[in-house]
Amino acid sequence: MKTLIYKYCFNASDSGDIKFAKSLILIISICCSFCGLVWSGIYYFFFGFGLTTLLPLIFVVIVISSIFISHFTSNYKILVYAQLACITWVPAFIQWSLGSIHVSGFVIAWCFLGPIGALLFLNEKDAKIWMVMFILILGITSIGVPTFSMDGLKVTENARTIFYLMNIGVPSSVIFSATAYFMKDLIKQKERNFSLLQITNEKNKEIEKSLKREKELGTLKTNFVSMVSHEFRTPLTTINANSDIILRYSDELSRDDINKRLEKIKSEVLDMTVMLEDILIIGKSDAQKLDFNPVSLDIVSLIKDIIAEYQLSEPKSRTIIFNVSTPIIMIPADKKWIKHIVNNLLSNAIKYSGEDQQIEISIKKEPTGISFSFKDYGVGISKEDIAMLFEPFYRGENVGEISGTGLGLVILQKALNLHKGKIEVESEIGKGSNFRVTLPAV
Ligand code: ADP
């Protein structure tokens, strides 16, 4: 059957919908032609060879030949119109051959397949025309009762019962099956549309996400440019000025003065290197390329060592008060990243507080790992700024002339993510800040 449909129905250029409609009209035509043969046989049984017996055969001949014509002319509409015309008019003529609706067993019920077929294979406007045609046939039959033959007189009570069963049962089953088939297709279509909608929604979300990311990158770029121009200009000016003086007045300057200026240049270069390293880390972490190699280490001595090292490089000394709950606390951590965290917290505490103000560092063993906090009594941070501290290049409104890039805490957050740790900030403007880091033991 499938091969037959493929051979006689489809053209290479047919769309899925057309193929579907074509195969359906072909199946219906074959089924109705089969019914035509059966009807003709039954009428022959009751009436012998007459007009009523001949009409269903005419139906079969027209429809079957239109199958071939439509195939060879590649115009399936021929089959549709032939089928609709025959299914509407042949039962009407059978009706008029027999007489009243009662005598025929309501054979014009078949005519209703006309508007239904038009609805399925043509369009709503055509379907209305076929419906009007059906009503017209019904009207003519009910009012006028034209009779073309004497076959109606031969209809017995039993024959009428059989005719009723045939003419109501079969067309209504055809209508039901066609509707059910189309409904199934409609539901499938609906499901397809629904999943398409879901895919579209997901794609939209992805687009929205990348647009947001694009926007963020734009802001990042702007902030980066303004940060670089601001933060690099000062050290570059200092380097330029000092090297200029050394070059021009080397004969007049004392050895001590030259050394001081060289030290200044070195420290500015170091600061710029740190800034560049921070920028590189931000770039790398975007591509998720940060290397992380945790080993079991004593975090207490590590923090103390980092602070001692930091203090050695700092010209101005600061009072640092240590508060350690347990002398040795072993946790898995990456030394390089812990150094970043501690250096950032300590340098910020020093940077954002007065020279005479002390800094308190507490290290505590926790049930799930370890926590350490850096407390200072400096400028503090407003609530609005706390919410934004971990955004790249963000700096508090009260930093004034204190230099900085707004990258330290962003890198610190990334280092904490690698360790599955977290940070909490408590601060009050003018009173100081407390940064508390928690790291898990495993
Ligand atoms: P930077 O210090 O280079 O600006 P950070 O990322 O380290 O960048 O810090 C971001 C901002 O957080 C700082 O600009 C500052 O406003 C605020 N901040 C961080 N630590 C402190 C602190 N201890 N006291 C006050 N403000 C701080």
Side-chain angles (χ1 to χ4, degrees), residues 344 348 351-352 376 381 389 395-396 399 404-406 408-409 433 435:
N344 180 258
N348 279 351
K351 214 161 53 165
Y352 298 108
D376 65 68
I381 315 162
L389 283 189
R395 305 200 67 215
V399 292
T405 57
L409 287 179
S433 318
F435 285 79

Side-chain angles (χ1 to χ4, degrees), residues 91 95 105-113 134 138 167-168 171-172 175:
Q95 176 65 62
F106 201 31
V107 73
I108 52 165
W110 282 93
C111 303
F112 188 54
L113 288 181
F134 169 69
L138 198 67
N167 294 325
I168 304 286
S172 51
I175 292 170

Side-chain angles (χ1 to χ4, degrees), residues 379-389 394-398 425-430 432-433:
V379 294
I381 315 162
S382 71
K383 274 203 171 59
E384 297 75 38
D385 283 342
I386 289 180
M388 300 294 292
L389 283 189
Y394 190 86
R395 305 200 67 215
E397 283 195 69
N398 59 337
V425 187
E426 276 171 22
S427 186
E428 214 177 307
I429 287 279
S433 318

Side-chain angles (χ1 to χ4, degrees), residues 52 91-108 140-142 144-153 155:
T52 318
F93 283 119
I94 295 175
Q95 176 65 62
W96 296 336
S97 165
L98 289 171
S100 75
I101 287 173
H102 187 51
V103 172
S104 74
F106 201 31
V107 73
I108 52 165
I140 295 169
T141 309
S142 318
V145 195
T147 310
F148 294 166
S149 78
M150 302 300 281
D151 288 338
L153 299 175
V155 176

